[in-house]
């Protein structure tokens, strides 16, 4: 599957727009994660955002900060 299809399917699985999922991915990559690592981390970020009602971008920033500080 292509990247766009993966992001679309993730968005569908958590009932969030693909644009929000894409923004979360971009946020993780911008903070220094590799694309592969960001894609592996993104489902957890998206599920958390969907469950809490927070934006995917905010959860991505928070999760990356926690992950970096605790070497996760």
């Amino acid at each position: 599957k292509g990247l766009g299809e993966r992001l679309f399917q993730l968005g569908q699985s958590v009932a969030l727009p693909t644009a929000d999922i894409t923004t979360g991915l971009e946020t993780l990559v911008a903070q220094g994660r590799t694309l592969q690592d960001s894609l592996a981390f993104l489902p957890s970020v998206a599920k958390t955002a969907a469950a809490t009602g927070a934006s995917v971008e905010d959860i991505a920033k928070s999760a990356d900060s926690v992950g970096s500080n605790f070497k996760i």
Side-chain angles (χ1 to χ4, degrees):
K1 289 182 244 180
L3 180 57
E5 179 65 22
R6 288 176 68 181
L7 297 177
F8 174 78
Q9 287 181 347
L10 177 57
Q12 291 292 303
S13 74
V14 296
L16 292 171
T18 305
D20 291 359
I21 301 297
T22 302
T23 299
L25 177 62
E26 290 169 348
T27 300
L28 292 169
V29 171
Q31 292 178 330
R33 290 182 177 266
T34 65
L35 179 59
Q36 183 177 3
D37 188 37
S38 296
L39 286 170
F41 201 47
L42 190 59
S44 296
V45 169
K47 289 174 188 172
T48 302
T52 62
S55 75
V56 179
E57 181 179 11
D58 286 346
I59 297 296
K61 287 177 182 175
S62 298
D64 186 70
S65 178
V66 169
S68 295
N69 287 328
F70 290 102
K71 308 291 186 242
I72 298 173

